[in-house]
């Protein structure tokens, strides 16, 4: 009788486990139905940068640049100004990031630090790659391991237009800087 009870108990344990898994699966399925999920939605979170740029221009000790006249296909995704006393030795820093019309990343990075220091911070493996005449100035082209940049001195600040975008898109962003 003990052997018969032991065999029955083993089957009940397996049966109970299967029923429990079905119950948990049902709860997960119902939860999935009620959670919003849209596979066709745009994952890019666009931010407004013009007010932040105006505030940063008043605070920056150098001529801060932000784009004017870019098409709506350029979508700003990040913006920020950090004064030198809060930047951990990176100077007064300005950052404005975009998703480009081709879906790549491009950013304006400015800081009142030496060019080589800003390049080392923003473009890993930076190597000279010629020059580009854009917006009435000569920009040095730099190719990194994963990103590239156009760089120029702007008063006491170093300006980088950098990202995974092509040099042509980076030049389009540089052309719009005012």
């Amino acid at each position: 009788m003990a052997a018969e009870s032991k065999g029955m108990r083993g089957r009940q344990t397996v049966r109970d486990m299967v029923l429990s898994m079905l119950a948990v699966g049902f709860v997960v399925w119902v939860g999935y139905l009620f959670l919003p999920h849209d596979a066709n939605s745009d994952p890019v979170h666009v931010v407004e940068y013009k007010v932040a740029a105006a505030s940063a221009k008043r605070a920056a000790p150098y001529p801060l640049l932000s784009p004017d006249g870019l098409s709506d296909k350029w979508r700003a995704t990040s913006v920020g100004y950090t004064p030198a006393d809060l930047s951990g030795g990176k100077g007064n820093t300005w950052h404005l990031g975009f998703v480009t019309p081709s879906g790549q990343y491009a950013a304006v990075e400015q800081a009142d630090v030496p060019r080589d220091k800003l390049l080392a911070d923003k473009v890993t493996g930076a190597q000279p790659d010629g020059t580009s005449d854009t917006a009435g100035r000569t920009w040095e082209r730099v190719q990194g391991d994963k990103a590239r940049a156009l760089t120029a001195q702007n008063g006491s600040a170093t300006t980088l237009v950098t990202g995974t975008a092509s040099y042509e898109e980076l030049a389009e962003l540089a052309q719009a800087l005012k």
Side-chain angles (χ1 to χ4, degrees):
M1 183 132 188
E4 189 177 307
S5 166
K6 194 175 197 181
M8 184 91 151
R9 178 176 159 89
R11 279 183 254 145
Q12 286 178 334
T13 304
V14 171
R15 185 179 129 265
D16 290 344
M17 182 178 68
V18 169
L19 289 174
S20 295
M21 289 181 66
L22 287 173
V24 169
F26 178 74
V27 170
V28 169
W29 178 74
V30 168
Y32 175 78
L33 290 177
F34 288 100
L35 288 176
H37 50 279
D38 185 2
N40 297 325
S41 69
D42 186 0
V44 175
H45 175 70
V46 177
V47 297
E48 171 55 46
Y49 67 89
K50 292 184 181 188
V51 172
S55 294
K57 283 183 181 193
R58 288 190 298 275
Y62 52 82
L64 188 131
L65 300 174
S66 67
D68 185 30
L70 284 177
S71 77
D72 291 342
K73 293 180 181 177
W74 287 80
R75 298 174 294 162
T77 58
S78 56
V79 62
Y81 175 77
T82 307
D85 57 343
L86 299 176
S87 73
K90 295 181 181 180
N92 296 286
T93 62
W94 166 244
H95 163 83
L96 178 56
F98 289 92
V99 172
T100 69
S102 70
Q104 294 297 312
Y105 180 73
V108 177
E109 305 283 356
Q110 275 188 292
D112 51 358
V113 297
R115 174 188 175 273
D116 292 341
K117 184 175 181 179
L118 187 59
L119 265 175
D121 187 42
K122 302 296 180 185
V123 183
T124 304
Q127 296 295 319
D129 194 24
T131 60
S132 177
D133 291 325
T134 303
R137 73 166 51 129
T138 300
W139 296 76
E140 294 177 54
R141 290 168 47 149
V142 178
Q143 180 64 54
D145 296 337
K146 295 181 180 177
R148 62 189 53 84
L150 300 176
T151 178
Q153 237 9 77
N154 185 36
S156 63
T158 300
T159 302
L160 295 182
V161 179
T162 185
T164 58
S166 66
Y167 281 125
E168 291 76 21
E169 282 185 315
L170 295 179
E172 184 179 346
L173 179 56
Q175 181 73 36
L177 294 178
K178 308 279 186 261

